[in-house]
Every structure is written in C-alpha cells, then in structure tokens.
Amino acid sequence: MNKTGIAVHGGAGTIRKSSMTPEKEISYKDGLREALLKGWEVLNKHGSALDAVEKTVQTLEDNPLFNAGKGSVFTNEGRHSMDASIMDGKNLDAGCVSSVSNIKNPVLLARKIMDHSGFVFLSGKGAEEFARIHGLEFENDEYFFNEFRYQQYQKALKENKYQLDHSEDSPADISPDLTDEKKFGTVGAVALDSYGNLAACTSTGGMTNTKYGRIGDTPLIGAGTYANNNTCAVSCTGDGEFFIRTVAAFNVSSLMELKDLSIYDACNEIVHGKLKNIGGEGGLIAIDKKGNIVLSFNSEGMYRAYTKNGKDIEIKIYKD
Ligand code: ASP
C-alpha cells in the first residue's frame, strides 16, 4: 500500500494541564482517537482521502466535547449556527456551508453541496432547504442543548461579549471548566490516501454569543481549509478573523508551490510568522503528498492526533 496518513484537530487555544482533570483529558483523547481511527479505517480499505476526512469530522461533530455539530456553542439569539467546508485536492472541488441550524452533520452537507449543488458555497435557509431536499438528517434544538455551552452563553450575554468557545477571562462563578481556557473548539481533518490524493475538511459551531451573522474562517476555502494534490491539505483553528486576513490555509500551499518550501517551513511561516505578526492565535494541521504531517500552533495547546499506519497513534493536547 502506498503511503497514507491522517491527522485531526479538535481546536487550539489556552489549554493548560492545570485546568484539566485526568478524566477530562481522557475523554478528549478518546474522542480524538475514535475519530482518527474512523478515518483511518476508510484509508486502510483503500477508500478516498475525501471519505476519510469526512468520516473523521462527522465523528467529532457527534461528540459534544467539541464545538461542532452536537457540541456547537450558542449564538446571541440562543441558536446554533454551524459552518463547515470540505475540499478534494485531486481536482480542487470544494463544498462549503455557513450559518445553518439543526443540521446533525454540517460536514455531510458541505460534501453534498460539493457533489450535487453545482455551487461551492451555500448558506442559511437556502442551505437548509438544499439539505432537506437531499435527505440530510435534522435534529431538534434539544439535541444540541448542552448545559456547559448554555452557561458559557449566559455568561457572554451578561458581559455583552463574543467568546471563542472558552474565554480566558471568564470569571469563576460558572464552573472552573469555563474560567481558564481560551479555546477554539473547531474540528478538522486532513488525509492522504493510497492513490496519492489529499483532502481536508473543517467544521465549527462558531463563537459563543456571536451576532450580525458573523462567519469565521472555517467554511472559507483558502482561509480555514485547503487541499491540492500538488502541495498539501490544511485545516485551521483559531481566531477566524486572522486566518481570513492571512488566507492561512491557501498560503501554506502557495509557499510550497511557489517558493518550494517544505511543509514544515510553510506551516511555520504561517503559524509563527504571518499569523503571529498580526496577533492571530491558533494552529493548523497539514499533510503533504509524501505523507509528511505537521501539527503546528502558536497557542498554549491544540487538541490533535495523527497516524500513518493505524497502529502508532500520536495524541497530544499541550506543547511538548
Ligand atoms: N476558527 C473558528 C472561527 O473563527 C473558531 C475555532 O477555530 O474554534 O469561527
């Protein structure tokens, strides 16, 4: 079998060991492992990188620990507004969706948009209508309700501020879980299949208490997600505005294609150079056509995992 590999992230940010219970750490790691292996199974059966990343992200969307799908945070109106994107490095096909509610798995909708809409990017009610026509699963508000997220939302409402999943300066009156992290809980995956194809996808519930229809980098091809068989596949997490302004995911690919940088140097240049220079916090995962994998971040931690053979699995949360 030719070289294959898959990597996953579950968000980056101020993730400190001191604020993590051993049980919580195990749950996060179990969630990452389960999702990674779901994607790996696809690759191992000579499935496509596209199917593998879709499966991995779908699994994370079903896990309430992560800010995507079931675990999505609350908007200012007390709703869930989800974004996702997927890209095939083989032919640069892409599907993106933003500002949808009650869709069980936004990543499946992004894929359907890519395969069946004739468009690249659908949003809001129109995207939901498309989802209904194509038989995607809907869930009621109860499915997405989570007491932890609700408390985050109430706190953000009271303070009249937006919050990227968890916020560093949340006071201690809710729960210790909410007080000491600035965490971007978006999820994403990148993969290389046995045919040499690369793919990437990313999914998020956005920001707590977000208003005015704000959309981050996650559903934007080039900002939060990018894949090109000639270079790499990338999925990002962090301060979306900065990832949009630096066109982060596409820039990694461009540095490889036009400047002949290695995947390591290209990721480094974006994460520790371009993003950091303008104050952007977060990270990204990337894989190139040779199967080199980079998991890079400029925040305190990033939920992340990868495997190249399905057996040796590396799962990490903090800096080494
Ligand atoms: N990048 C996402 C956004 O700005 C947030 C995240 O990564 O958690 O919406």
Side-chain angles (χ1 to χ4, degrees):
M1 181 154 145
N2 289 331
K3 260 193 184 155
T4 58
I6 182 162
V8 59
H9 73 75
T14 312
I15 309 164
R16 294 197 195 95
K17 204 168 176 65
S18 56
S19 65
M20 184 76 83
T21 63
E23 295 76 31
K24 221 167 116 183
E25 197 172 308
I26 289 169
S27 313
Y28 276 110
K29 286 188 169 175
D30 284 351
L32 290 170
R33 180 181 295 103
E34 185 197 3
L36 189 77
L37 287 176
K38 284 266 168 66
W40 168 254
E41 275 167 30
V42 175
L43 295 177
N44 198 32
K45 290 181 188 146
H46 296 281
S48 70
L50 201 62
D51 287 344
V53 293
E54 181 186 55
K55 192 77 196 163
T56 289
V57 165
Q58 182 187 0
T59 307
L60 290 171
E61 285 179 343
D62 291 341
N63 185 335
L65 278 179
F66 300 95
N67 176 21
K70 183 168 173 58
S72 292
V73 300
F74 285 88
T75 65
N76 182 257
E77 298 83 28
R79 302 288 320 263
H80 300 283
S81 179
M82 300 175 284
D83 307 329
S85 61
I86 189 163
M87 186 161 186
D88 187 350
K90 186 169 62 180
N91 46 20
L92 305 187
D93 269 357
C96 316
V97 61
S98 75
S99 314
V100 287
S101 302
N102 302 97
I103 304 281
K104 184 170 185 236
N105 292 110
V107 69
L108 300 187
L109 177 52
R111 177 75 186 267
K112 272 274 189 268
I113 290 168
M114 175 177 125
D115 291 342
H116 299 292
S117 74
F119 301 115
V120 169
F121 201 154
L122 301 182
S123 72
K125 294 284 165 235
E128 288 165 16
E129 189 187 333
F130 177 84
R132 228 166 258 122
I133 290 168
H134 287 268
L136 271 115
E137 220 174 318
F138 280 66
E139 290 288 353
N140 58 23
D141 290 346
E142 235 165 70
Y143 171 83
F144 295 93
F145 184 86
N146 177 313
E147 186 58 33
F148 171 77
R149 301 289 186 211
Y150 187 70
Q151 293 298 331
Q152 278 182 320
Y153 162 57
Q154 290 301 318
K155 178 76 197 82
L157 260 186
K158 213 158 68 188
E159 291 192 345
N160 194 25
K161 66 173 191 184
Y162 306 145
Q163 224 170 262
L164 273 149
D165 197 3
H166 299 242
S167 157
E168 206 167 30
D169 53 0
S170 303
D173 60 353
I174 302 168
S175 133
D177 282 355
L178 303 179
T179 62
D180 43 15
E181 292 180 6
K182 180 180 182 190
K183 200 193 80 192
F184 312 102
T186 291
V187 305
V190 294
L192 168 69
D193 64 31
S194 56
Y195 312 100
N197 294 314
L198 294 166
C201 71
T202 316
S203 178
T204 190
M207 287 164 77
T208 298
N209 197 26
T210 195
K211 285 199 239 187
Y212 311 127
R214 180 260 182 194
I215 297 167
D217 60 315
T218 303
L220 297 179
I221 293 303
T225 304
Y226 197 72
N228 181 339
N229 274 7
N230 293 327
T231 54
C232 60
V234 184
S235 170
C236 302
T237 174
D239 283 318
E241 280 64 19
F242 295 87
F243 285 77
I244 294 171
R245 289 163 60 201
T246 55
V247 200
F250 176 67
N251 244 325
V252 172
S253 169
S254 286
L255 287 172
M256 292 175 70
E257 190 163 27
L258 305 176
K259 278 191 138 186
D260 213 20
L261 258 58
S262 71
I263 191 168
Y264 302 100
D265 291 343
C267 291
N268 198 41
E269 172 67 28
I270 298 306
V271 174
H272 299 285
K274 287 188 191 303
L275 276 166
K276 213 166 176 184
N277 291 345
I278 57 166
E281 190 185 334
L284 55 80
I285 55 172
I287 185 167
D288 70 10
K289 55 186 177 184
K290 295 186 197 125
N292 296 308
I293 291 175
V294 177
L295 313 154
S296 179
F297 53 99
N298 63 28
S299 45
E300 285 207 29
M302 180 165 82
Y303 295 103
R304 61 199 189 277
Y306 77 89
T307 185
K308 292 184 180 183
N309 58 18
K311 283 186 222 103
D312 308 308
I313 299 172
E314 188 140 315
I315 308 177
K316 288 188 174 173
I317 300 176
Y318 319 103
K319 277 186 184 151
D320 287 332

